[in-house]
Amino acid sequence: MWRSVPYWSDETEAGAMMARMWWWAGAAMALAACAGQQAKGPAPESYTAATTYAKLAPKYPFIRIAGSTVPASVRAVRDIAYVRRGAHDLKLDLYMPADRGTPPHPAIVFVHGGGWRTGVRANFAPMAIRMAERDYVAATIDYRLSPEAPYPAAIHDAKAAVRWVRAHAADYGIDPDRIAIAGGSAGGQIAALTGVTNDEARFDPDGAPGAVPSKVQAIVNIDGLSDFTSEEARKYEDDPAKQPSAAGAWFGGRYAQQPALWRDASPLFHVAPSTPPTLFIVSAQRRFSLGREEMVAKMRALGVASRVVPVPDTPHSFWLFDPWLAPTVEATDAFLRTVMPPRTGSPGSPPAA
């Protein structure tokens, strides 16, 4: 039986070649489009103990990532939604003494770092666990990062987290009159600004009349900036080689474009007689705690308690690692026991003598 064979000619061959050329051209354009998308730059590397260890271990071979295994003496309650923002919940993890003993316990809210654009709340789990072992209820929180929401959204979120902790004080054996906020790196700056703006309603849009207060009684700033505006700070935070810098991305523009926001986000310029007692724990890397000396001087003049604890010969992010976590916890606990002493009776009663 004869089988029909398609007719093939030079004209057919030319058409096929043209079709192949168009196909390759289309493929090349698609690849170019992908390359163009990649040319925008990769997403910032997540700020975690593991990624930071990889950078620091060659110079500090003796360090180890601080353990986050929860011991039997500590109870952990994870993935608690503390506020809804848009279409998603922001969450926190709680760590508390497994044996609640004699409540109420002081509380501390931890704000992770990551240049305001990366990072995870689990970074502070090791320190939160160790504080729980010392009779605190510790919360590690999410907050909106700069790719999702610019300054001052993170401050709004930190205040909402403090409000949630206070609102649930009875559920977890917390003293609502003894709540501190702490953070490291960008989280240190966020924690400090959250605390120094206790009385500034514009930083607390969730604080409607009658709402549970978001005030804190103490601040722990671990290697976080106190002033974005100084010439020395801008050398790093407003580096023209970075388009944008981490701070510039958070503020929506460089210092020359957004000078008011850069100043507004600097805890130094909010110091007042009502500023809570503040502990500064600092590394050997001066650039990360710029403005601290000026802030301490301003607080001293106003009679506000402060303390500076250097951790010698350390890199930034030292609190994520052993052997440096232990002195960080020790300094934090000692300071908070001084400025937030146990109560003599029920919440609202005076501190023990």
Side-chain angles (χ1 to χ4, degrees), residues 66-115:
S68 56
T69 300
V70 179
S73 59
V74 173
R75 176 189 172 209
V77 183
R78 297 189 173 93
D79 294 322
I80 301 172
Y82 73 86
V83 72
R84 189 163 186 84
R85 300 298 193 205
H88 69 97
D89 294 328
L90 295 178
K91 296 184 177 182
L92 60 79
D93 298 332
L94 279 181
Y95 302 87
M96 67 201 81
D99 178 2
R100 292 176 65 167
T102 306
H105 304 282
I108 182 167
V109 176
F110 284 107
V111 186
H112 69 78

Side-chain angles (χ1 to χ4, degrees), residues 180-203:
I181 190 164
S185 190
Q189 177 272 330
I190 291 170
L193 190 59
T194 299
V196 297
T197 57
N198 267 346
D199 298 316
E200 297 187 48
R202 66 189 177 88
F203 284 96

Side-chain angles (χ1 to χ4, degrees), residues 27 30 82 87 95 106 115 121 126-127 186 213 238 240 244 254 263 284 293 307 334:
Y82 73 86
Y95 302 87
R121 68 182 187 267
M127 187 165 178
D238 197 28
R254 297 186 60 193
R263 179 185 173 87
E293 294 172 355
R307 184 178 301 167

